[in-house]
Amino acid sequence: MTIIPEQKTPPTNAWVASIAAVFDPVFARLEQWANLVERYAARPGSVAERAELDPLVERLVIRAFADSDGTVIGAGFVSAPHFLGWHLAWWLGGQNAASPRLPADGIRHLETLEDPLDENFRDYTALEWWRVPAQTGRRHITGPYVDYLCTDEYTLTLTLPVYRGVELIGVVGIDLSVDEIERDLVPLLSTDAVAVTVINASGRVVVSTDTHLATGALLRLPGLTRLLADPAPTDAAVGLHGAHTFQWCGRTGLAVVAGPAADRAPD
């Protein structure tokens, strides 16, 4: 008689819950920020000014840094050019590598070029963290990428559009340290049975228990591109090539892939 070993189902729902527990509160905070800025911009008979809005955003940012235990490394509001001009009400924290002279609990305003005629000016509305939420009207996660402008380290930027009526007036956003997220998530994702990888909507690795998969690398599995591009994604786990499973992580914009380590089959 042949005895077939019991196949243990990977704890996909537990992984999804762990991932959502990291990112959902950040988006909830951004939704609160968006609501406050929208209420400020909608005041009857008043004109929005940087001198008024920036202190409001700074107070919100200070609380985000204080609550984050080092995970938040940048945050703020970025104006649509027609609203407050080319303006970033954005702050960096003392635990940010780009702020070496600040105390760990300090923050500093990010100084940027706001003159579009300057030869070094950069149009941020062309960047993913602005472009995608502006086009979709929804929350978005950009990265992981090395943010040479703000952080000089692997970063995830979570952004949410802000409106005055139906008019886009900017985005609110928070930069998260991938290193800190990895420290929080990897112990919760680790299992002896399979390698677990968290990817963004473009298939790039955010964190992985597979040591062969580097942060920012493109995960290549047959069928993965199709699942990522599905206009009506399901929350249920879906089978992939080579005993892998794929599942979206709620409304985070991230997905979890579980299966044998270092499977690099072409898509």
Side-chain angles (χ1 to χ4, degrees):
M1 180 178 65
T2 301
I3 298 177
I4 300 175
E6 179 185 359
Q7 298 295 316
K8 294 184 178 180
T9 302
T12 308
N13 290 335
W15 297 329
V16 168
S18 296
I19 296 163
V22 172
F23 293 97
D24 281 349
V26 182
F27 276 120
R29 186 184 292 269
L30 288 177
E31 287 167 357
Q32 292 174 349
W33 292 5
N35 180 262
L36 287 171
V37 175
E38 287 170 357
R39 286 163 51 192
Y40 168 82
R43 296 172 304 164
S46 62
V47 177
E49 296 182 355
R50 298 180 184 184
E52 288 184 347
L53 183 60
D54 283 11
L56 166 65
V57 176
E58 184 177 12
R59 288 193 295 272
L60 299 174
V61 167
I62 288 173
R63 289 199 292 271
F65 279 110
D67 295 342
S68 75
D69 195 26
T71 304
V72 173
I73 51 180
F77 168 78
V78 182
S79 173
H82 64 269
F83 181 55
L84 294 177
W86 296 91
H87 179 58
L88 286 87
W90 197 269
W91 281 264
L92 306 178
Q95 298 191 28
N96 188 318
S99 303
R101 292 181 296 277
L102 278 179
D105 59 349
I107 68 170
R108 72 173 177 89
H109 184 262
L110 175 66
E111 302 299 330
T112 60
L113 286 171
E114 299 183 347
D115 181 0
L117 299 179
D118 191 292
E119 62 179 1
N120 295 314
F121 173 80
R122 189 175 188 185
D123 179 358
Y124 52 69
T125 64
L127 302 180
E128 179 183 343
W129 52 261
W130 172 284
R131 185 184 70 253
V132 175
Q135 292 173 347
T136 65
R138 298 192 298 269
R139 57 171 63 177
H140 183 68
I141 296 180
T142 302
Y145 64 99
V146 179
D147 186 358
Y148 294 108
L149 174 64
C150 297
T151 66
D152 289 330
E153 63 177 281
Y154 269 112
T155 302
L156 290 174
T157 300
L158 284 63
T159 44
L160 195 72
V162 181
Y163 296 93
R164 179 169 54 189
V166 297
E167 173 193 25
L168 178 73
I169 59 172
V171 301
V172 285
I174 290 177
D175 285 336
L176 301 179
S177 164
V178 173
D179 284 348
E180 294 296 328
I181 291 171
E182 189 173 41
R183 291 190 186 98
D184 290 341
L185 272 182
V186 167
L188 302 176
L189 303 178
S190 296
T191 171
D192 293 334
V194 294
V196 183
T197 302
V198 181
I199 59 174
N200 67 8
S202 299
R204 296 202 175 273
V205 174
V206 178
V207 297
S208 180
T209 63
D210 182 352
T211 57
H212 297 91
L213 290 175
T215 296
L218 190 63
L219 183 63
R220 299 183 183 276
L221 290 171
L224 181 58
T225 299
R226 173 182 53 80
L227 288 172
L228 291 171
D230 188 346
T234 175
D235 287 335
V238 178
L240 267 173
H241 166 81
H244 286 80
T245 60
F246 169 95
Q247 186 170 356
W248 286 106
C249 300
R251 296 178 60 226
T252 64
L254 302 173
V256 60
V257 176
D263 189 332
R264 300 296 188 89
D267 202 344

